[in-house]
Amino acid sequence: MKSTKTGWIRRALTSTALAGAITVPLATPAHAAYDTADGCYVSIPFVECSTSPSIYPHSTQHWVLPRIWVYGTALCPVDWWIYDTYDGKRVRSGTVAINNYRSFTVYNLNASHRYQLILKSYTCTILKAELRNWT
């Protein structure tokens, strides 16, 4: 009787493990592939930092998504630039007020060029920055 229970349990666990090993996740838009460039780890005020490596914008819509984390509880103004590594120029820029985390989208980029995010804050520490494209 004991060997029958043990055998049944063993077969159930083995088939469950095999089913889990061969399961293929389905791709959904929420989990589409993306490139990420990151950097600016604990960048102190007045120091310019950037993400690395440079990445291409979204393949059909030509945008990138900067994501920025800062240390502090008050609003922190952060200057940002999208740098075109092909031309060596800053192609977009602005200032965003951040309270811990902020993301935004930059549109109308050249699909054949690669880009980096450059940041500078005068009042707070930048904890991390990312540039993504969800191709």
Side-chain angles (χ1 to χ4, degrees), residues 35-41 43 47-57 63-70 78-86 89-96 98 101-107 109 113-121 126-134:
D35 289 332
T36 299
D38 58 1
C40 297
Y41 295 105
S43 179
V47 176
E48 195 172 277
C49 64
S50 66
T51 57
S52 182
S54 57
I55 64 171
Y56 290 104
W63 55 262
V64 293
L65 179 80
R67 298 170 41 156
I68 307 165
W69 290 263
V70 298
V78 174
D79 292 340
W80 62 271
W81 301 272
I82 297 297
Y83 180 77
D84 183 334
T85 59
Y86 180 81
K89 297 179 181 175
R90 293 178 176 181
V91 294
R92 301 280 191 289
S93 63
T95 301
V96 293
I98 303 172
Y101 169 78
R102 177 86 184 261
S103 68
F104 52 95
T105 307
V106 178
Y107 295 95
L109 299 172
H113 292 196
R114 295 175 67 94
Y115 297 91
Q116 283 182 301
L117 173 64
I118 300 172
L119 301 170
K120 189 171 189 178
S121 173
I126 299 169
L127 296 177
K128 180 183 176 185
E130 289 181 348
L131 191 60
R132 287 189 171 182
N133 65 5
W134 276 280

Side-chain angles (χ1 to χ4, degrees), residues 4 12 17 27 35 38 61 66 76 82 95 102-103 108 110-111 124-125 129 131 135:
T4 305
D35 289 332
D38 58 1
Q61 298 174 5
C76 171
I82 297 297
T95 301
R102 177 86 184 261
S103 68
N108 300 319
N110 187 323
C124 63
T125 299
L131 191 60
T135 54

